[in-house]
């Protein structure tokens, strides 16, 4: 079997979900003048192993992985430290004949904050809301950047405690109803819960209690400006939105597959924003 002439990556999921990834990667392929492709592949769980192990035979240079396969691909590839710590991989690529995996949500989160709020990682404490998969990527990124204290609150405290046990003493849990007490000490507030998303409940955080130099990040991107970000903006705080993280997490996969590091431009953002508001 011979590989096709143009390199292509795919998004592996089940069922085939609507995704903005093709829009993002096609934009970069077009603007960088690279001949390549990015397609969505619907792969049921029983076919995942075969699909992933034959990725290159199928003509792919790599893949994104989404629900429900993000955990399962760890055992089918060689995960890096990020994928191992997060317990899930969203990007696969071939290097020296080996299938490797990583979790680019970590750099999506960090890259977006670097671009939106330079200096955000200067000394201070962070407060993270939520203890699901996205929270693990965020906490890993904060510890990697040297945060000495990450406060972690979750509706289900046991889930936060499990995460804190995994990540060590710099992560301290607090009950969900104690969030407002920690706000005056938080240099960075991150929402990783689904609260604030269209159709979900409201996030009850007293933004006025944050210090004036605080930065607020929300992983929710529908709506683009969540009530949390709107309140932070009204107070004059720096913010980083969920769409930025979505765009920045795509950078590394593209670079690994197609050999050039792409830029997150205002034009790309506008393109994806238009697509988000269409649905
Ligand atoms: P993800 O991979 O996006 O992090 P997840 O693993 O399902 O998704 O996690 C969702 C997060 O949103 C969890 O922290 C969840 O809290 P629980 O662990 O208590 O379920 C949080 N969340 C969802 N709905 C919530 C609500 N109504 N109030 C508070 N937290 C909520």
């Amino acid at each position: 079997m011979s590989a096709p002439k143009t390199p292509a990556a795919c998004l592996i999921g089940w069922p085939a979900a609507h995704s903005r990834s093709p829009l993002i990667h096609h934009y970069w392929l077009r603007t960088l003048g690279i001949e390549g492709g990015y397609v969505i592949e619907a792969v049921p769980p029983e076919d995942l192993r075969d699909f992933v192990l034959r990725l290159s035979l199928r003509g792919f240079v790599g893949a994104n992985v989404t629900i429900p396969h993000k955990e399962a691909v760890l055992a089918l590839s060689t995960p890096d430290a990020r994928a191992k710590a997060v317990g899930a991989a969203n990007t696969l690529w071939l290097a020296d004949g080996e299938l490797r995996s990583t979790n680019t949500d970590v750099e999506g989160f960090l890259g977006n904050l670097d671009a939106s709020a330079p200096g955000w990682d200067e000394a201070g404490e962070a407060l993270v809301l939520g203890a699901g998969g996205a929270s693990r990527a965020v906490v890993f990124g904060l510890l990697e950047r040297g945060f000495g204290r990450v406060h972690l609150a979750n509706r289900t405290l046991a889930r936060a405690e499990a995460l804190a046990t995994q990540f060590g003493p710099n992560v301290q849990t607090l009950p969900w109803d104690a969030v407002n007490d920690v706000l005056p000490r938080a240099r960075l507030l991150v929402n990783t819960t689904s609260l604030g998303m269209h159709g979900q409940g409201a996030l009850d955080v007293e933004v006025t209690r944050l210090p004036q130099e605080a930065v607020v990040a929300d992983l929710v991107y529908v709506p683009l400006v969540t009530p949390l970000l709107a309140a932070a903006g009204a107070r004059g705080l720096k913010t980083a939105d969920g769409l930025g993280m979505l765009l920045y997490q795509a950078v590394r996969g593209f670079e690994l597959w197609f050999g050039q590091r792409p830029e997150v431009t205002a034009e790309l953002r506008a393109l994806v924003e238009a697509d988000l508001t269409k649905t």
Side-chain angles (χ1 to χ4, degrees), residues 16 76 162 183 204 232 244 259 274:
L76 302 173
L183 289 174
D204 184 20

Side-chain angles (χ1 to χ4, degrees), residues 129-135 153-157 159 176 192-195 200-201:
L129 310 179
S135 173
N154 194 47
R155 176 180 60 178
T156 311
L157 186 59
R159 229 176 152 195
W176 188 244
T192 77
T193 76
S194 48
L195 294 175
Q200 302 283 318

Side-chain angles (χ1 to χ4, degrees), residues 20 24 104-105 107-113 116 134 138 189-193 195-197 216-230 239-250 264 269 272-273 276:
R20 271 87 199 183
I24 297 169
T104 65
D105 284 340
E107 59 225 276
F109 171 68
L110 298 174
N112 182 36
L113 273 163
S116 308
V138 165
L189 171 67
V190 188
N191 175 43
T192 77
T193 76
L195 294 175
M197 194 184 289
V216 177
D218 201 334
L219 271 51
V220 172
Y221 59 85
V222 182
L224 283 170
V225 182
T226 61
L228 174 67
L229 293 179
T239 60
D241 67 14
L243 176 56
M245 176 165 165
L246 179 76
L247 299 176
Y248 279 93
Q249 70 76 32
V264 174
R269 206 189 136 92
V272 181
E273 262 188 38
L276 283 172

Side-chain angles (χ1 to χ4, degrees), residues 9-30:
C10 63
L11 171 66
I12 305 171
W14 181 260
H18 179 65
S19 163
R20 271 87 199 183
S21 293
L23 189 63
I24 297 169
H25 291 293
H26 286 150
Y27 169 83
W28 283 330
L29 287 168
R30 196 171 62 244

Side-chain angles (χ1 to χ4, degrees), residues 44 51 64 77 80 108 130 132 147 154 158 168 188 194 210 217 263 272:
F51 190 94
N64 278 137
S77 58
D80 69 1
F147 272 77
N154 194 47
L188 174 72
S194 48
L210 283 165
E263 297 266 329
V272 181

